[in-house]
């Protein structure tokens, strides 16, 4: 009996000392993919269209389940990701600039250094859109009316500190106009407010705008990119219109800090292959998702570069009270 117990103890100790991969091939149960925004928004669309391709390239019967955790401008979802066990079974989308701006503007429940960037998927330039029947036929029309009527021209955004909000502030600084900023918690509410005539214009992203153009009477006044978008070649850039504004949102996948190297390698490989899969690229094109695929090191550099820029901006022009 004692010999049998001794053998069992030795066996358990030997199993515990084995690498994770030797104990159970990763992944051996479902992976949760957190989206820090509501269902139906651009991040949610990207996540749900990408998930089957991550499953395909992870193999081993992998399942990736998208879970929406909206609230506090993305803070609830980002914090849930940062707080999760770093075992490869929780990943999530992180969105610029809110992943950077939230910890700058308040004591947040997460910080950028508590996350492990994996692969960036999207870079979605900002735009301003109006209804087709709007009196503002051009960006100049919108700006000039706001200059003549301070705080009378309303522009909706997807929350304080979002790329939409920062773009509105940049346009105000450069044009000397004063808009009435109306923040919403989701991109859908932002868009619907403009569409229903409750706000004069919407600061949003090109993907959201082009989805709307397909079915709704909306007009895109300008795009905040360094060049015109191949998806909307007739839309002028803000730079062409006299405003040096380049703004948008990067959306990529990250994991909690402390992810084991072997799990990170497998995840990055699967996500990178998924993002480049012809099947996903077809879906991305059909849903106006501007792909900008970056490997971990490139993604990390971009995140920290943006963090430095927004911290400098905060010292010069804090956006919270605007």
């Amino acid at each position: 009996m004692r010999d049998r117990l001794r053998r069992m103890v030795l066996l358990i100790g030997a199993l515990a000392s084995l690498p994770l991969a030797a104990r159970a091939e990763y992944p051996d149960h479902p992976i949760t993919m957190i989206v820090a925004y509501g269902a139906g928004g651009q991040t949610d669309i990207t996540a749900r269209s990408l998930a089957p391709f991550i499953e395909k390239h992870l193999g081993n019967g992998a399942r990736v389940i998208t879970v929406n955790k909206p609230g506090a401008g993305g803070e609830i979802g980002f914090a849930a990701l940062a707080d999760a066990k770093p075992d490869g079974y929780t990943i999530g989308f992180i969105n610029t600039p809110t992943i950077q701006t939230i910890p700058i503007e308040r004591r947040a429940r997460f910080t950028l250094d508590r996350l492990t960037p994996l692969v960036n998927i999207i870079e979605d330039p900002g735009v301003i859109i109006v209804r087709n029947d709007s009196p503002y036929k051009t960006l100049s029309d919108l700006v000039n009316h706001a200059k003549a009527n301070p705080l009378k021209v309303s522009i909706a955004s997807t929350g304080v500190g979002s790329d939409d909000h920062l773009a509105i502030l940049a346009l105000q600084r450069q044009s000397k106009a004063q808009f009435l900023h109306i923040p919403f918690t989701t991109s859908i509410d932002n868009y619907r407010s403009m569409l229903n005539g409750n706000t004069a214009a919407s600061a949003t992203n090109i993907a959201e705008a082009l989805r709307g153009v397909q079915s709704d009477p909306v007009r895109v006044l300008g795009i905040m990119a360094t060049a015109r978008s191949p998806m909307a070649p007739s839309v002028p850039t803000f730079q062409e219109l006299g405003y040096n504004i380049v703004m948008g949102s990067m959306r990529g996948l990250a994991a909690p800090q402390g992810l084991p190297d072997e799990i990170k390698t497998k995840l990055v490989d699967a996500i990178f292959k998924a993002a480049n899969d012809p099947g996903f690229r077809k879906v991305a094109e059909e849903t106006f998702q501007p792909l900008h695929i970056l490997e971990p090191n490139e993604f990390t550099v971009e995140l920290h570069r943006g963090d430095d820029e927004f911290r400098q901006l905060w010292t010069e022009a804090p956006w919270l009270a605007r």
Side-chain angles (χ1 to χ4, degrees):
M1 186 67 166
R2 289 179 180 174
D3 288 344
R4 183 181 298 175
L5 286 172
R6 189 180 298 113
R7 285 196 298 270
M8 288 179 64
V9 169
L10 290 172
L11 178 60
I12 291 170
L15 288 172
S17 68
L18 286 175
L20 180 62
R23 283 182 257 161
E25 186 179 353
Y26 172 83
D28 67 351
H29 59 273
I31 296 167
T32 296
M33 181 159 63
I34 295 172
V35 171
Y37 299 93
Q42 280 303 125
T43 307
D44 185 65
I45 290 170
T46 301
R48 294 181 188 277
S49 57
L50 183 64
F53 296 96
I54 297 175
E55 293 174 341
K56 169 184 170 182
H57 291 286
L58 269 177
N60 198 40
R63 288 185 62 210
V64 178
I65 301 171
T66 302
V67 176
N68 298 90
K69 290 184 178 289
E75 181 176 358
I76 290 174
F78 298 151
L81 177 60
D83 291 342
K85 187 177 180 181
D87 58 3
Y89 288 98
T90 303
I91 59 176
F93 270 86
I94 56 175
N95 303 57
T96 66
T98 47
I99 194 70
Q100 298 136 325
T101 58
I102 289 173
I104 294 172
E105 68 192 34
R106 60 182 185 262
R107 177 176 283 184
R109 294 166 49 196
F110 73 92
T111 54
L112 189 57
D113 62 6
R114 292 184 57 212
L115 298 167
T116 299
L118 298 173
V119 178
N120 189 66
I121 309 296
I122 301 292
E123 185 163 16
D124 201 355
V127 294
I128 288 182
I129 59 176
V130 296
R131 286 169 51 110
N132 269 345
D133 59 3
S134 167
Y136 312 119
K137 305 302 181 186
T138 66
L139 186 63
S140 292
D141 291 341
L142 185 76
V143 167
N144 290 337
H145 193 77
K147 288 173 74 172
N149 301 273
L151 300 178
K152 298 296 184 183
V153 178
S154 55
I155 303 185
S157 82
T158 313
V160 172
S162 66
D163 55 314
D164 313 327
H165 181 211
L166 297 181
I168 295 168
L169 294 179
L171 183 58
Q172 287 192 150
R173 286 194 300 273
Q174 293 185 31
S175 69
K176 308 305 181 186
Q178 285 184 281
F179 297 101
L180 178 62
H181 173 226
I182 308 295
F184 289 91
T185 57
T186 70
S187 59
I188 292 176
D189 290 337
N190 170 2
Y191 178 84
R192 286 176 179 164
S193 177
M194 174 276 307
L195 189 64
N196 294 335
N198 296 322
T199 44
S202 168
T204 184
N205 297 95
I206 189 66
E208 194 83 40
L210 294 181
R211 282 174 58 208
V213 166
Q214 284 189 311
S215 57
D216 299 324
V218 298
R219 182 188 308 114
V220 186
L221 300 183
I223 184 169
M224 304 168 202
T226 55
R228 295 194 182 200
S229 168
M231 297 189 294
S234 64
V235 176
T237 68
F238 271 56
Q239 291 177 331
E240 290 177 70
L241 300 172
Y243 301 102
N244 185 26
I245 302 174
V246 177
M247 187 69 69
S249 178
M250 291 174 64
R251 298 194 284 272
L253 282 164
Q257 189 60 255
L259 190 67
D261 288 343
E262 67 272 19
I263 299 296
K264 179 181 177 181
T265 297
K266 192 162 188 177
L267 268 173
V268 167
D269 181 66
I271 295 167
F272 192 81
K273 287 177 178 175
N276 285 287
D277 191 293
F280 173 69
R281 284 183 166 270
K282 183 174 186 296
V283 174
E285 181 179 357
E286 292 169 349
T287 51
F288 305 106
Q289 299 179 54
L291 297 178
H292 184 60
I293 301 164
L294 298 177
E295 295 183 355
N297 289 343
E298 297 173 299
F299 190 16
T300 300
V301 167
E302 285 297 303
L303 288 170
H304 286 284
R305 181 189 59 78
D307 188 65
D308 291 342
E309 290 178 359
F310 290 123
R311 288 184 185 279
Q312 180 62 35
L313 177 61
W314 179 260
T315 64
E316 298 169 359
W319 55 80
L320 192 58
R322 303 294 190 88

